[in-house]
């Protein structure tokens, strides 16, 4: 067992390709490479030999595509590529049935995503700063996807993904909350969508939100219309409060001016 917890970290090495000697680490389970350009990564052969590798994490690489045998790493569970501004396409990650976590941060040149990405068992996908104006329709095919994090893009809409429990669409261009949101969604992050000025009626009864502080709450939660009920709800709760606009609980403002709002399913219609 101890032989199978090996890892390797290259911190700031200016290397353009992986050394062939790394293939001798047949029990490698976790691979991290920080600030390694790896410009010739696509030419590396032999990744399929890593039978136990389950985490592959690269920060600040400069390659445009993956090696051909990347999808043959049958034990890979987590793939994280952060700050690769040169990445243009993904391999058919749907062939890696064990892959459940995909993180692609700051990938503004990523334009090619395989249609069969969700063929496997992905439950978490995070893709930020691609500046997409439209989410590829393939995401609707993700049958068990529960977490989708797509901040800092140019999205104005998102197709129904009914399996989601966590959705982060912050810092996009939404002017309304997607109308397909279901009670299954437990967390919705909307902060930074400055065209969005109000929340929908009776749609977010089971959802915790992160929104900008000037948001307009649903009419059922306007404290001016339900003053007595609001006072009773928050009278003994020092951690939450309601202001002159909204009656649902709100967390304290954060330093960047956003707040967390919780709409309780019991209080969605303010019937205590």
């Amino acid at each position: 067992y101890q032989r199978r917890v090996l890892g390797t970290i290259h911190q700031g090495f200016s290397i353009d390709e992986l050394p062939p000697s790394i293939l001798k680490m047949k029990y490698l389970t976790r691979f991290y490479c920080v600030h390694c350009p790896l410009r010739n990564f696509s030419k590396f052969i032999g990744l399929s030999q890593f039978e136990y590798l389950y985490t592959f994490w690269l920060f600040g690489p400069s390659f445009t595509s993956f090696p051909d045998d990347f999808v043959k790493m049958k034990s890979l569970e987590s793939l994280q590529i952060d700050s690769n501004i040169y990445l243009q396409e993904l391999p058919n990650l749907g062939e890696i049935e064990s892959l459940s976590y995909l993180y692609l941060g700051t990938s503004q040149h990523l334009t090619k995503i395989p249609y069969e990405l969700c063929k496997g068992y992905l439950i978490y996908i995070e893709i930020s700063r691609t500046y997409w104006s439209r989410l590829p329709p393939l995401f609707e095919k993700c049958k068990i996807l529960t977490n989708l994090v797509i901040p800092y893009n140019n999205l104005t809409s998102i197709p129904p993904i009914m399996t989601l429990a966590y959705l982060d669409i912050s810092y996009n261009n939404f002017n309304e909350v997607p109308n397909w949101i279901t009670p299954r969604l437990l967390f919705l992050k909307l902060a930074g969508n400055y065209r969005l000025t109000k929340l929908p009626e009776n749609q977010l009864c089971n959802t915790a939100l992160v929104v900008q502080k000037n948001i307009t709450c649903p009419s059922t939660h306007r404290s001016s219309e339900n003053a007595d009920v609001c006072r009773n709800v928050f009278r003994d709760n020092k951690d939450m409060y309601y202001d002159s606009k909204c009656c649902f609980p709100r967390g304290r403002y954060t330093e960047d001016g956003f707040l967390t709002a919780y709409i309780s399913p019991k209080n969605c219609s303010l019937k205590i």
Side-chain angles (χ1 to χ4, degrees):
Y1 173 77
Q2 292 180 348
R3 297 173 63 193
R4 295 185 180 181
V5 294
L6 296 173
T8 181
I9 300 177
H10 297 282
Q11 178 67 45
F13 290 171
S14 182
I15 58 176
D16 286 332
E17 58 187 34
L18 294 176
S21 58
I22 197 175
L23 295 176
K24 296 180 180 179
M25 304 177 68
K26 63 179 181 179
Y27 293 108
L28 183 68
T29 59
R30 291 166 291 180
F31 177 76
Y32 303 88
C33 193
V34 181
H35 296 299
C36 307
L38 294 181
R39 294 180 180 89
N40 298 325
F41 181 54
S42 62
K43 299 178 182 180
F44 188 79
I45 299 175
L47 288 174
S48 60
Q49 298 183 35
F50 294 124
E51 297 182 17
Y52 305 103
L53 187 67
Y54 65 85
T55 296
F56 195 91
W57 190 80
L58 301 177
F59 181 87
S62 302
F63 60 86
T64 59
S65 59
F66 288 77
D68 291 339
D69 64 345
F70 189 88
V71 298
K72 296 181 180 180
M73 291 193 294
K74 298 304 181 183
S75 297
L76 189 65
E77 298 176 7
S78 175
L79 172 60
Q80 303 179 57
I81 309 294
D82 197 355
S83 300
N84 184 354
I85 63 173
Y86 300 98
L87 182 62
Q88 297 177 5
E89 60 182 317
L90 295 179
N92 187 7
L93 298 176
E95 294 184 17
I96 309 177
E97 294 187 355
S98 58
L99 187 65
S100 61
Y101 184 102
L102 175 62
Y103 172 86
L104 300 170
T106 311
S107 305
Q108 58 259 49
H109 288 104
L110 180 63
T111 57
K112 297 180 180 180
I113 297 182
Y115 187 76
E116 295 186 348
L117 175 67
C118 293
K119 177 182 177 182
Y121 297 93
L122 280 168
I123 61 174
Y124 183 103
I125 296 177
E126 180 167 349
I127 302 178
S128 64
R129 290 183 168 88
T130 58
Y131 305 111
W132 290 337
S133 58
R134 182 174 179 270
L135 195 67
L138 62 92
F139 285 93
E140 298 179 63
K141 305 295 182 181
C142 297
K143 300 298 183 182
I144 61 173
L145 185 66
T146 58
N147 293 58
L148 180 60
V149 182
I150 45 175
Y152 294 97
N153 289 290
N154 292 319
L155 300 173
T156 58
S157 63
I158 182 173
I161 306 175
M162 309 308 289
T163 57
L164 291 180
Y166 183 106
L167 176 60
D168 181 351
I169 51 175
S170 57
Y171 295 96
N172 279 279
N173 290 319
F174 287 84
N175 58 16
E176 62 182 1
V177 176
N179 58 14
W180 54 265
I181 297 298
T182 70
R184 179 182 177 86
L185 191 70
L186 301 179
F187 187 93
L188 176 60
K189 193 169 183 180
L190 296 166
N193 285 279
Y194 294 106
R195 296 173 60 194
L196 178 67
T197 58
K198 65 179 181 179
L199 297 176
E201 302 286 338
N202 300 318
Q203 186 183 355
L204 302 170
C205 297
N206 198 37
T207 307
L209 307 171
V210 176
V211 294
Q212 52 264 28
K213 62 182 180 181
N214 63 342
I215 204 78
T216 300
C217 61
S219 61
T220 53
H221 289 76
R222 290 173 190 163
S223 57
S224 59
E225 300 175 8
N226 302 277
D228 292 337
V229 176
C230 292
R231 280 193 291 268
N232 291 332
V233 171
F234 301 106
R235 180 174 50 194
D236 300 321
N237 193 332
K238 297 180 180 180
D239 296 325
M240 291 293 176
Y241 74 101
Y242 74 98
D243 57 23
S244 60
K245 295 180 180 180
C246 289
C247 187
F248 52 73
R250 289 186 164 188
R252 297 296 180 184
Y253 293 130
T254 59
E255 292 182 359
D256 57 1
F258 299 111
L259 56 84
T260 303
Y262 301 91
I263 302 183
S264 167
K266 294 182 180 179
N267 301 333
C268 191
S269 60
L270 291 183
K271 295 179 180 179
I272 309 303

Coordinates of all heavy atoms in Angstrom, one line a residue, residues 36-82:
C36 N 5.4 24.6 -14.8 CA 6.2 23.9 -15.8 C 5.6 24.1 -17.2 O 4.4 23.7 -17.4 CB 6.2 22.4 -15.5 SG 6.7 22.0 -13.8
P37 N 6.3 24.7 -18.1 CA 5.7 25.0 -19.4 C 5.2 23.8 -20.1 O 4.1 23.8 -20.7 CB 6.9 25.6 -20.2 CG 7.8 26.2 -19.1 CD 7.7 25.2 -18.0
L38 N 6.0 22.7 -20.2 CA 5.6 21.4 -20.8 C 5.0 21.7 -22.3 O 4.0 21.2 -22.6 CB 4.5 20.7 -20.0 CG 4.9 20.2 -18.7 CD1 3.8 19.4 -18.0 CD2 6.1 19.2 -18.8
R39 N 5.7 22.5 -23.0 CA 5.3 22.8 -24.3 C 5.2 21.6 -25.3 O 4.4 21.6 -26.2 CB 6.2 23.9 -25.0 CG 6.2 25.2 -24.2 CD 7.1 26.2 -24.9 NE 7.1 27.5 -24.2 CZ 7.9 27.8 -23.1 NH1 8.8 26.9 -22.7 NH2 7.8 29.0 -22.6
N40 N 6.0 20.6 -25.0 CA 5.9 19.4 -25.8 C 5.2 18.3 -25.2 O 5.4 17.1 -25.5 CB 7.4 18.9 -26.1 CG 8.2 20.0 -26.9 OD1 7.6 20.7 -27.7 ND2 9.5 20.1 -26.5
F41 N 4.3 18.6 -24.3 CA 3.5 17.6 -23.5 C 2.7 16.7 -24.5 O 2.6 15.5 -24.2 CB 2.5 18.3 -22.6 CG 1.7 17.3 -21.7 CD1 2.3 16.3 -21.0 CD2 0.3 17.4 -21.7 CE1 1.6 15.5 -20.2 CE2 -0.4 16.6 -20.9 CZ 0.2 15.6 -20.2
S42 N 2.2 17.2 -25.6 CA 1.4 16.4 -26.5 C 2.2 15.3 -27.1 O 1.6 14.3 -27.6 CB 0.8 17.3 -27.6 OG 1.9 17.9 -28.4
K43 N 3.6 15.4 -27.1 CA 4.4 14.3 -27.7 C 4.8 13.2 -26.8 O 5.4 12.2 -27.2 CB 5.7 15.0 -28.3 CG 5.4 16.0 -29.4 CD 6.7 16.7 -29.9 CE 6.4 17.7 -30.9 NZ 7.7 18.4 -31.4
F44 N 4.4 13.4 -25.5 CA 4.8 12.4 -24.5 C 4.1 11.1 -24.7 O 2.8 11.1 -24.9 CB 4.6 12.9 -23.1 CG 5.1 12.1 -22.0 CD1 6.5 12.1 -21.7 CD2 4.3 11.2 -21.3 CE1 7.0 11.3 -20.7 CE2 4.8 10.4 -20.3 CZ 6.2 10.4 -20.0
I45 N 4.8 10.0 -24.6 CA 4.2 8.7 -24.8 C 4.4 7.8 -23.6 O 5.5 7.7 -23.1 CB 4.8 8.0 -26.1 CG1 4.5 8.8 -27.3 CG2 4.2 6.6 -26.2 CD1 5.2 8.2 -28.6
G46 N 3.3 7.2 -23.1 CA 3.5 6.2 -22.0 C 2.6 6.5 -20.8 O 2.7 5.8 -19.8
L47 N 1.7 7.5 -20.9 CA 0.9 7.8 -19.7 C 0.0 6.6 -19.4 O -0.4 6.5 -18.2 CB 0.0 9.0 -20.0 CG 0.8 10.4 -20.0 CD1 -0.2 11.5 -20.5 CD2 1.4 10.7 -18.7
S48 N -0.4 5.8 -20.4 CA -1.2 4.7 -20.1 C -0.6 3.6 -19.2 O -1.3 2.8 -18.6 CB -1.6 4.0 -21.4 OG -0.5 3.5 -22.1
Q49 N 0.7 3.8 -18.9 CA 1.4 2.8 -18.0 C 1.1 3.1 -16.6 O 1.4 2.3 -15.7 CB 2.9 2.8 -18.3 CG 3.3 2.4 -19.7 CD 4.8 2.4 -19.9 OE1 5.5 2.1 -19.0 NE2 5.2 2.8 -21.1
F50 N 0.6 4.3 -16.3 CA 0.3 4.7 -14.9 C -1.0 4.0 -14.5 O -2.1 4.7 -14.6 CB 0.3 6.2 -14.7 CG 1.6 6.8 -14.9 CD1 1.8 7.9 -15.8 CD2 2.7 6.4 -14.2 CE1 3.0 8.5 -16.1 CE2 4.0 7.0 -14.4 CZ 4.1 8.1 -15.3
E51 N -1.0 2.9 -13.9 CA -2.2 2.1 -13.6 C -2.9 2.6 -12.4 O -4.1 2.4 -12.1 CB -1.9 0.6 -13.4 CG -1.4 0.0 -14.7 CD -1.1 -1.5 -14.5 OE1 -1.7 -2.1 -13.5 OE2 -0.4 -2.1 -15.3
Y52 N -2.1 3.4 -11.5 CA -2.7 3.8 -10.2 C -2.8 5.3 -10.1 O -3.2 5.8 -9.1 CB -1.8 3.3 -9.1 CG -1.6 1.8 -9.1 CD1 -0.4 1.3 -9.6 CD2 -2.6 0.9 -8.7 CE1 -0.2 -0.1 -9.6 CE2 -2.4 -0.4 -8.8 CZ -1.2 -0.9 -9.2 OH -1.0 -2.3 -9.3
L53 N -2.5 6.0 -11.2 CA -2.6 7.5 -11.1 C -4.0 8.0 -11.1 O -4.8 7.7 -12.0 CB -1.9 8.1 -12.3 CG -1.7 9.6 -12.3 CD1 -0.8 10.1 -11.2 CD2 -1.2 10.1 -13.7
Y54 N -4.4 8.7 -10.0 CA -5.8 9.1 -9.9 C -5.9 10.7 -9.9 O -7.0 11.2 -10.0 CB -6.5 8.5 -8.7 CG -5.9 8.9 -7.3 CD1 -6.4 10.1 -6.7 CD2 -5.0 8.1 -6.7 CE1 -5.9 10.5 -5.5 CE2 -4.5 8.5 -5.4 CZ -4.9 9.6 -4.8 OH -4.4 10.0 -3.6
T55 N -4.8 11.4 -9.7 CA -4.8 12.9 -9.7 C -3.7 13.4 -10.6 O -2.6 13.0 -10.5 CB -4.6 13.4 -8.2 OG1 -5.7 13.0 -7.4 CG2 -4.5 14.9 -8.3
F56 N -4.2 14.3 -11.5 CA -3.2 14.9 -12.4 C -3.5 16.4 -12.4 O -4.5 16.8 -12.8 CB -3.4 14.3 -13.8 CG -2.3 14.6 -14.8 CD1 -1.3 13.7 -15.0 CD2 -2.3 15.8 -15.6 CE1 -0.3 13.9 -15.9 CE2 -1.3 16.0 -16.4 CZ -0.3 15.1 -16.6
W57 N -2.5 17.1 -11.9 CA -2.7 18.6 -11.7 C -1.5 19.4 -12.2 O -0.4 19.2 -11.9 CB -2.8 18.8 -10.2 CG -3.2 20.2 -9.8 CD1 -4.5 20.7 -9.8 CD2 -2.4 21.3 -9.3 NE1 -4.5 22.0 -9.4 CE2 -3.3 22.4 -9.1 CE3 -1.0 21.4 -9.1 CZ2 -2.7 23.6 -8.6 CZ3 -0.5 22.6 -8.7 CH2 -1.4 23.7 -8.4
L58 N -1.8 20.3 -13.1 CA -0.8 21.1 -13.8 C -1.2 22.6 -13.6 O -2.4 23.0 -13.8 CB -0.7 20.9 -15.3 CG -0.3 19.4 -15.7 CD1 -0.3 19.3 -17.2 CD2 1.0 19.1 -15.2
F59 N -0.3 23.4 -13.1 CA -0.5 24.8 -12.9 C 0.4 25.6 -13.8 O 1.7 25.5 -13.7 CB -0.4 25.2 -11.5 CG -0.6 26.7 -11.2 CD1 -1.9 27.2 -11.0 CD2 0.4 27.6 -11.3 CE1 -2.2 28.5 -10.8 CE2 0.1 29.0 -11.1 CZ -1.2 29.4 -10.9
G60 N -0.1 26.4 -14.7 CA 0.7 27.3 -15.5 C 1.4 26.6 -16.7 O 2.5 27.1 -17.1
P61 N 0.9 25.6 -17.3 CA 1.5 25.0 -18.4 C 1.3 25.8 -19.7 O 0.5 26.7 -19.7 CB 0.9 23.6 -18.5 CG -0.5 23.8 -18.0 CD -0.3 24.9 -16.9
S62 N 1.9 25.4 -20.8 CA 1.8 26.1 -22.0 C 1.6 25.2 -23.2 O 1.9 25.6 -24.4 CB 3.1 26.9 -22.3 OG 3.4 27.8 -21.2
F63 N 1.0 24.1 -23.0 CA 0.8 23.2 -24.2 C -0.6 23.5 -24.8 O -1.5 24.0 -24.1 CB 0.9 21.7 -23.8 CG 0.0 21.3 -22.7 CD1 -1.3 20.8 -23.0 CD2 0.4 21.3 -21.4 CE1 -2.2 20.4 -22.0 CE2 -0.5 20.8 -20.4 CZ -1.8 20.4 -20.7
T64 N -0.8 23.1 -26.0 CA -2.1 23.3 -26.7 C -3.0 22.1 -26.8 O -4.2 22.3 -27.0 CB -1.8 23.8 -28.1 OG1 -1.1 22.8 -28.8 CG2 -1.0 25.1 -28.1
S65 N -2.4 20.9 -26.6 CA -3.2 19.7 -26.7 C -2.6 18.6 -25.8 O -1.4 18.8 -25.4 CB -3.4 19.2 -28.1 OG -2.1 19.0 -28.7
F66 N -3.3 17.5 -25.6 CA -2.9 16.4 -24.8 C -2.2 15.3 -25.6 O -2.5 15.2 -26.8 CB -4.1 15.9 -24.0 CG -4.6 16.7 -22.9 CD1 -5.4 17.8 -23.2 CD2 -4.3 16.5 -21.6 CE1 -5.9 18.7 -22.2 CE2 -4.8 17.3 -20.6 CZ -5.6 18.4 -20.9
P67 N -1.5 14.5 -24.9 CA -0.9 13.3 -25.6 C -2.1 12.3 -26.1 O -3.1 12.3 -25.5 CB 0.0 12.6 -24.6 CG 0.3 13.7 -23.6 CD -0.9 14.6 -23.6
D68 N -1.8 11.6 -27.1 CA -2.9 10.7 -27.6 C -3.3 9.6 -26.6 O -4.5 9.3 -26.6 CB -2.3 10.0 -28.9 CG -2.2 11.0 -30.1 OD1 -2.8 12.1 -30.0 OD2 -1.4 10.7 -31.0
D69 N -2.4 9.2 -25.8 CA -2.8 8.1 -24.9 C -3.2 8.6 -23.5 O -3.4 7.8 -22.6 CB -1.6 7.1 -24.7 CG -0.4 7.7 -24.1 OD1 -0.3 9.0 -24.0 OD2 0.5 7.0 -23.6
F70 N -3.5 9.9 -23.4 CA -3.9 10.5 -22.1 C -5.2 9.8 -21.7 O -5.4 9.5 -20.5 CB -4.1 12.0 -22.2 CG -4.4 12.7 -20.9 CD1 -3.3 13.1 -20.2 CD2 -5.7 12.9 -20.5 CE1 -3.5 13.7 -19.0 CE2 -5.9 13.5 -19.2 CZ -4.8 13.9 -18.5
V71 N -6.1 9.5 -22.6 CA -7.4 9.0 -22.2 C -7.4 7.5 -21.8 O -8.4 6.9 -21.5 CB -8.5 9.1 -23.3 CG1 -8.7 10.6 -23.6 CG2 -8.0 8.4 -24.6
K72 N -6.2 6.9 -21.9 CA -6.0 5.5 -21.5 C -5.6 5.3 -20.0 O -5.3 4.2 -19.6 CB -5.0 4.9 -22.4 CG -5.5 4.8 -23.9 CD -4.4 4.1 -24.8 CE -5.0 4.1 -26.2 NZ -4.0 3.4 -27.1
M73 N -5.5 6.5 -19.3 CA -5.2 6.3 -17.9 C -6.5 6.0 -17.1 O -7.3 6.8 -16.8 CB -4.7 7.7 -17.3 CG -3.3 8.0 -17.9 SD -2.5 9.3 -16.9 CE -3.5 10.7 -17.4
K74 N -6.7 4.7 -17.0 CA -8.0 4.2 -16.5 C -8.4 4.4 -15.1 O -9.5 4.1 -14.7 CB -8.1 2.7 -16.9 CG -8.0 2.4 -18.4 CD -9.1 3.1 -19.2 CE -9.0 2.8 -20.7 NZ -9.9 3.6 -21.5
S75 N -7.4 4.9 -14.3 CA -7.7 5.1 -12.9 C -7.8 6.6 -12.5 O -8.1 7.0 -11.4 CB -6.5 4.5 -12.0 OG -6.5 3.1 -12.1
L76 N -7.7 7.4 -13.5 CA -7.7 8.9 -13.3 C -9.1 9.3 -12.8 O -10.1 9.1 -13.5 CB -7.3 9.6 -14.6 CG -7.1 11.1 -14.4 CD1 -5.9 11.4 -13.5 CD2 -6.9 11.8 -15.8
E77 N -9.1 10.0 -11.7 CA -10.3 10.5 -11.1 C -10.4 12.0 -11.2 O -11.5 12.6 -11.3 CB -10.5 10.1 -9.6 CG -10.5 8.6 -9.5 CD -10.6 8.2 -8.0 OE1 -10.7 9.1 -7.1 OE2 -10.5 7.0 -7.7
S78 N -9.3 12.7 -11.0 CA -9.3 14.2 -11.0 C -8.3 14.7 -11.9 O -7.1 14.4 -11.9 CB -9.0 14.6 -9.5 OG -8.8 16.0 -9.5
L79 N -8.8 15.6 -12.8 CA -7.9 16.3 -13.8 C -8.0 17.8 -13.6 O -9.1 18.4 -13.7 CB -8.3 16.0 -15.2 CG -7.5 16.8 -16.3 CD1 -6.0 16.6 -16.2 CD2 -8.1 16.4 -17.7
Q80 N -6.9 18.5 -13.2 CA -6.9 19.9 -13.0 C -5.9 20.6 -13.8 O -4.7 20.3 -13.6 CB -6.7 20.2 -11.5 CG -7.8 19.5 -10.6 CD -7.5 19.8 -9.2 OE1 -7.5 21.0 -8.7 NE2 -7.4 18.8 -8.4
I81 N -6.3 21.5 -14.7 CA -5.3 22.2 -15.5 C -5.6 23.7 -15.3 O -6.7 24.2 -15.7 CB -5.5 22.0 -17.1 CG1 -5.5 20.4 -17.3 CG2 -4.4 22.7 -17.8 CD1 -4.1 19.8 -17.0
D82 N -4.7 24.4 -14.6 CA -5.0 25.8 -14.2 C -4.0 26.7 -14.9 O -2.8 26.5 -15.0 CB -4.8 25.9 -12.7 CG -5.4 27.2 -12.1 OD1 -5.9 28.0 -12.9 OD2 -5.4 27.3 -10.9

